[in-house]
Amino acid sequence: MVRSDGEPIPTGRATDGTGPTLFRERFLQGEPLESGVRATILDSWRRCRSLGLSPERSDLPFRDDFDREDPVARAAAPVLDRLESTFAGSAMNISVADADGTVLLRRFGEASLARGLPDIQTVPGFVFAERFAGTNGIGLALAERRLIRVYGAEHFADRSQGSACRALPVRDPLSGRIEGVLCFGYPRDFENPALTTVIRKAAAAIERRLLGQSSARERSLLRAYLDAGVEADADPHRVVGVDELALGLRPVDRAALLEKAAELISRAQRAAVEVSLTDGRRVTLVSRPMTSTSGVEGIAVEAVLHASSPSEALSSPRGVEPVPSLTTGPASPLTQLAPVDPSIVLRVRDVPLAVASGALTVVTGPGQLREVPPPAGAATTGIDGTPEGRTPTPPRKPSPRHPAHRGGPTSCRRRPAAHPVAPHTSVPSPSADGLPGDRSGPPASERGLLMVGEPHVGGYALAARRRLELLSEASARIGTTLDVRRTAQELAETAVPRVADFVTIDLAEPVLRGEEAADPRSDLRRAVVHGIRDDLPFCPVGKQVDYGPAVPQLRCLTSGEAVLEPDLRAAAGWLAQDPEHTERLLGHVHSLIVVPLVARGVVLGVASFYRAQDPAPFGDDDRSLAQELATRAALSIDNARRYTRERTMVLALQRSLLPQGLPDRDSVEVAHRYLPAESDVGGDWYDVIPLSGTRIGLFVGDVVGHGMLSAATMGRVRTAARSFAELDFPPDEVLTHLDNLVGRLDREDPVSDGGGIIGATCLYAVYDPTSQQCSLARAGHPPPALVGPDGTVTFPELPAGPPLGLGGLPFEAVDVHLPEGSTLVLYTDGLIEDRERDVDVVLDQLRAALAHPEHTPEETCRMVLDTVASPHPGDDIALLVARTHAFDPRRVATWELPADPARVSEVRAAALRQLADWGLDDAAFAAELVLSELITNAIRHGAGPIRVRLLRDRALICEVADTSSTAPHLRRAATTDEGGRGLFLVAQLSQSWGTRYTAEGKVIWAECGLDSA
């Protein structure tokens, strides 16, 4: 057997462990159930168990004082009579209960059935609320607030095991509140999917009859107003209908008039308020309490259009008072009633009201009112026999005192039925001469009525309007940032206090990290606690939250639907979760809505809305509003989550491509920082490269753009820059090679379309501690800052050079002398360029932050970022601070000799003596061989004079310079070759070796280790 929604129904007693009976028995024995039972039924069983209900209990509360004239009962009686006829001869049990679960009416398909059933199933007055009767149709429909089906052993009580039922809440079409429940009870073998359609149509018919009752009350108010006529002392001269004003009345003006009229009706008092139209005219709305002949109390709202000239004499309508604190909309309150000219009275015609059907009556003509549209989705003919979409309207006799029925002219004429007026449309009616808008017609003695209604109905309209305004505000307020926690906080701030008094939001831990939550029920963490007070015992932010199986939050996460708990004192699962805290909370909050945060099919967390100050509990309209807010916020949270994930990935890539550790060198003391942009990760980078001869290379660069591509491109550029630098090219040549590389990358990359990374900038500095000279060159990059030992800060003027990738333009290097203890500061443009700050002001701030020579490079980095960098950087920042040190001259030995082989032995002997003075006798053998080979090669293949230098650093560095540009290269010598093995010996005896070019020629160098020294 299959239900109408496609869900299979296990039938009969189970013997194979799959039927509902066995699952029920296992549940009653305390076994955990994770599958086999529908979530709705399992949640109800858990609530029943927490309430201490027993399946064997058969007695239910009985009320003999229930209202037999309840509106739901009066509306449902004809519908149930028709259902009784429809199911004649069957075992169908039809009942209607009120909002408390008390059965008001019963009907039976077979009359004899009532005589064979116990009173609890036949006599009205028994209460079937879940807290008394356990899992059953009426009680579960009230708890879940939707159509439910309970079959056989899914009932909690033993007495109901042989039956099935369907139940559907009946709502007031005006307020949206649940006023009762329609329930079909039948034997299990009578199950039929078509019953879902029947019960929905029957409930819709009952709701239409409820709406008809309200419409009758509204019509009686209108009839009372028309019968009363116009007060003699008003003495109006003529009437201006909205049709005549339509050419100049904008939709926003019509909406403002109707909103203010609904607000006046909701206040239930005699008052007046002035509404300013967008064209400068003013309309005064006057509300008058009135009572119909049947005793219905309501409010009539009249509209009075002010005279066009402010200097005209005006008089106030008698007996009205200003409306206090009317602050919404374009109207302003009248602290003192402005005089009103009663000669011009505005009557609104064919202006639709955007509220629940039948909420208020809008006057469409003399003695006429707009008919109420049917509920959406209703069929052509209702089960009560009346055409759906029409409310039976009794004929009304014209009022003899109304001028329209005395043959007098009127500016408001109803269109023929064959030509209905479209919604939101006003058509000017012709004047006496056939021209629209002519106000020169003969006078008419009538007062213009805008709207009539009951105060509570006006309150519904006003609440609906404010809900729409809140949703509009939420669209602009939620999701202003791409931060998960901030977006959740914005949801709470929007909801408090207009929706709820307290809001808590719990998000899955992976969501906070930017990942998808596999199971949000198991790893929730409190992200937001916000409310009108801060002293309530809610779980604090950051703490892990664990919900029990019957708690509304877990039910919400399991079902994926909002859960409404109107009365928390009756929410057994919520009370059992944490008795200590919940008892304290009950002293402040009394109603709860729990909404899942679901976006793109992924559950992110749950939002809980608590009501404290308003004594009325949450309703379904509140639940719908909270769910709409949560849905919008969930999408923004998911966007923030996805952004967080992408940004984390890009930032991880960016940091992995930056240097993981800087070389420890005696020539400079270095500190560095990388600060990503607040919105995205860019392509800023830095590097520190040890070079030959104790020199050090310092790089800072910026690849244009943001995101993954920029980070990856930065890694390619940085790798190439490091390779060019390690070839010992001077700074200007390194930039030239980088310029060619960037241009080639752009041409080869099909994604870039020739414009991907062109515009990247770079600054390269090479510092030589032996001469204290620093050679710098830049490609479109900001110049460095130089801090002298005395604290003087300068920005050296370097040739700017074009950005990388443009090609064809040269770069120029500049040499700068750096005294001992100087500090070189390299940075990217994100540090000094900001849309909200002037560059000169930022440079002054940077100069002040650097003017502290006593600070270490680490302290300098920290101070620069704290005082100079923007608190919300729009671009990423790379900062490199290097304090220079001079190389001790006592650790340098230099010899010059002509290109004469006879002088080689002299230099070798002098070098051995120097090594002995340095205490490096153990390195003498290797150094002697290396020097012999390098000097011999320079004499044989180079050009004199020849310069030999020994540097004692962390390794012994041997350098031989000559004026030739021919560089030796390592090759494999054949067994028959007499030479070619010298560089092979050098490579074997040294840690590293290489060649660098200078303006005078070249230098061949080799580093020998001192581990054994």
Side-chain angles (χ1 to χ4, degrees), residues 662-670 688-691 693-696 698 767-770 772 819-822 857 882-888 891 951-957 1010:
L662 298 183
D664 184 15
R665 292 286 173 169
D666 295 335
S667 55
V668 291
E669 184 182 352
V670 178
V688 178
I689 304 171
L691 301 176
T694 69
R695 297 173 306 134
I696 198 78
L698 305 173
Y767 172 66
D768 187 349
T770 61
Q772 301 181 38
E820 170 78 16
S822 299
R883 173 169 293 175
T884 62
H885 299 287
F887 199 81
D888 189 351
R891 300 168 65 183
L951 302 173
R952 182 189 175 185
D953 195 25
R954 299 186 182 187
L956 178 62
I957 302 173
L1010 300 179

Side-chain angles (χ1 to χ4, degrees), residues 46-47 50-51 548-552 555 565 570-578:
R46 288 169 174 164
R47 293 195 297 269
S50 64
L51 289 168
V551 175
R555 290 163 47 202
E565 289 288 356
W574 184 77
L575 291 172
Q577 168 69 15
D578 189 352

Side-chain angles (χ1 to χ4, degrees), residues 228-236 270 288 302 317-319 445 447:
V230 181
E231 297 179 15
D233 56 1
D235 191 23
R270 181 184 296 268
R288 301 179 183 278
E302 298 167 335
R318 180 173 300 181
S445 178
R447 181 170 297 278

